[in-house]
Amino acid sequence: ADGRANETPSSDVQAKDAQGNCLRVDRGAALTFPVWALRSSTRERNPSDYRDAIMGFRLARSPGSDDQVSQEVPVPRVVDLKAPDGTLLKATYFAAAKPGPGVLLFHQVNRTRKSWDDVAARLAAAGVNTLTVDLRGFGESGGTPYAKLTRAQRHDQISKEGILGDLDTAWQYLVSQPGVERDVIGVGGAGLLGVGNSVQTARQHPLAVKSLALLSGETFQDGLQFLQRSPQLPGLFVVDDNDEYPPTVEAMELAYISCPNPGKKFVHYSAAAEAPWVWYEPNDVGKVPANGGHGTDLFKVHPELPGIIVDWFMTTLIRTPGHAPADTVASAAIIDEIRSPGGVEKAQQLLPGFL
């Protein structure tokens, strides 16, 4: 079923949004699909006002909806977190009005924690305690400014996908706050920096992290292997063909197909042609002009995206912790496995706790 209430489905299969982009949403896929096969075979074109539902998956609605918390939430507070080496990390804590899960959000290289403010405020209003943090060398945090690091130092920081002591400092602050359910946590990140830090955090806390939301970034081999070994972990993957760092599209597709969870979701804003390749993201520092196609910059170009992210975390942390709905297409690989001799047992091993 389409899932759009009181709306006449568009008959225009070429419908586009105001920027001429097409919204593609994929949920589940066989891991044997090559990256290039996903580019054209799973494309859905939707009108710009297609906000209520996508392929039967309800999106976040206005704050007046039944799913939203009507209680007034506390004012966000700016906090100083001290890393193990004494470096101060600036963060903002968005507390919910009542006890509930938590979410930790990481920014991209050319932005700060403030790029997540709108999403964090919406999550808090929905009952999810949320922490945004300026990573070391960014925004208001201490440490050598990222722009002043040598190329080798930047490479070292990026390749390690975060400074473990800093990530643990942010994590411990979030889970120690009153009312935070420390074993029901979501992690989200934008860009190469944010996505890498998100996956690294999930690797450090595999039992507590129940959901990921990854925008326009990349995780390296260890991170991809972690996703492949974590069928219990649902992930939301978002990318735009207009990304100023075009290799990001393939990187996000690779992360998506590496995730075996049947409730995973892929939001791909498609364009007639990809943006030309100019430079690498981690060595950007302003060299590549932002065009609204990367990470949290997408929020201005695609105003429905914050709602998609909020609804994703509400689904995977509040409604059905650790789970997202899967339909026949999303479960195709599992169904094929079940049909084969001994398939039920194999499927149970692939997805423990699902069958």
Side-chain angles (χ1 to χ4, degrees):
D2 190 293
R4 286 177 287 177
N6 303 318
E7 178 179 345
T8 302
S10 171
S11 59
D12 179 10
V13 296
Q14 300 296 321
K16 300 181 179 180
D17 66 14
Q19 289 74 37
N21 300 318
C22 303
L23 176 60
R24 184 177 92 184
V25 179
D26 308 319
R27 296 181 54 224
L31 293 179
T32 54
F33 287 177
V35 170
W36 55 264
L38 292 171
R39 303 306 299 275
S40 59
S41 63
T42 54
R43 186 160 296 182
E44 291 289 334
R45 297 177 180 270
N46 303 317
S48 59
D49 61 352
Y50 196 5
R51 303 289 187 250
D52 278 347
I54 296 177
M55 294 181 69
F57 196 95
R58 299 297 296 181
L59 300 187
R61 293 162 292 194
S62 65
S65 73
D66 293 337
D67 288 325
Q68 300 291 335
V69 177
S70 59
Q71 296 168 288
E72 186 174 346
V73 299
V75 175
R77 64 177 186 266
V78 176
V79 297
D80 288 322
L81 311 179
K82 184 177 289 188
D85 66 355
T87 299
L88 292 182
L89 306 176
K90 191 71 73 172
T92 303
Y93 183 61
F94 299 76
K98 63 179 183 179
V103 162
L104 181 58
L105 297 173
F106 297 110
H107 61 81
Q108 62 209 56
V109 167
N110 59 349
R111 295 291 176 263
T112 68
R113 74 185 193 280
K114 294 180 180 179
S115 63
W116 283 108
D117 278 357
D118 178 52
V119 169
R122 294 195 197 191
L123 283 169
V128 181
N129 303 281
T130 305
L131 181 70
T132 64
V133 59
D134 280 340
L135 295 168
R136 178 184 297 250
F138 292 91
E140 301 175 276
S141 287
T144 303
Y146 184 81
K148 294 184 178 181
L149 295 177
T150 65
R151 188 181 184 90
Q153 289 173 323
R154 293 178 197 164
H155 176 76
D156 183 64
Q157 182 173 333
I158 293 294
S159 62
K160 291 180 179 178
E161 297 194 321
I163 300 172
L164 292 183
D166 293 1
L167 299 184
D168 189 61
T169 297
W171 173 273
Q172 293 302 331
Y173 179 85
L174 174 62
V175 300
S176 68
Q177 295 310 294
V180 174
E181 298 175 5
R182 59 181 302 131
D183 60 344
V184 185
I185 304 296
V187 187
L192 179 61
L193 188 70
V195 168
N197 279 267
S198 297
V199 175
Q200 181 67 262
T201 300
R203 291 173 60 192
Q204 298 303 312
H205 306 277
L207 298 180
V209 174
K210 297 296 191 291
S211 177
L212 292 175
L214 309 177
L215 283 61
S216 314
E218 180 179 3
T219 184
F220 302 124
Q221 188 62 26
D222 287 345
L224 293 173
Q225 290 178 348
F226 166 76
L227 292 177
Q228 289 175 332
R229 296 192 303 265
S230 306
Q232 81 288 350
L233 183 62
L236 170 67
F237 303 83
V238 181
V239 74
D240 192 318
D241 280 347
N242 287 320
D243 196 299
E244 51 257 43
Y245 310 98
T248 299
V249 176
E250 281 73 21
M252 288 301 294
E253 289 173 331
L254 182 58
Y256 170 74
I257 64 174
S258 296
C259 174
N261 187 280
K264 64 183 176 181
K265 182 177 179 183
F266 193 36
V267 179
H268 186 164
Y269 292 100
S270 301
E274 294 181 3
W277 183 85
V278 180
W279 197 238
Y280 296 101
E281 179 189 359
N283 295 304
D284 171 20
V285 196
K287 180 172 183 176
V288 180
N291 61 11
H294 187 71
T296 48
D297 291 356
L298 288 168
F299 297 159
K300 291 183 178 179
V301 182
H302 304 290
E304 77 286 348
L305 183 55
I308 293 176
I309 296 170
V310 171
D311 191 72
W312 172 258
F313 280 130
M314 287 181 67
T315 296
T316 55
L317 300 179
I318 296 179
R319 300 185 191 122
T320 54
H323 300 274
D327 57 15
T328 304
V329 174
S331 307
I334 299 172
I335 293 173
D336 285 343
E337 188 70 69
I338 291 174
R339 288 171 174 167
S340 65
V344 173
E345 290 76 12
K346 293 179 181 178
Q348 287 176 327
Q349 294 175 2
L350 178 65
L351 295 173
F354 282 83
L355 298 175

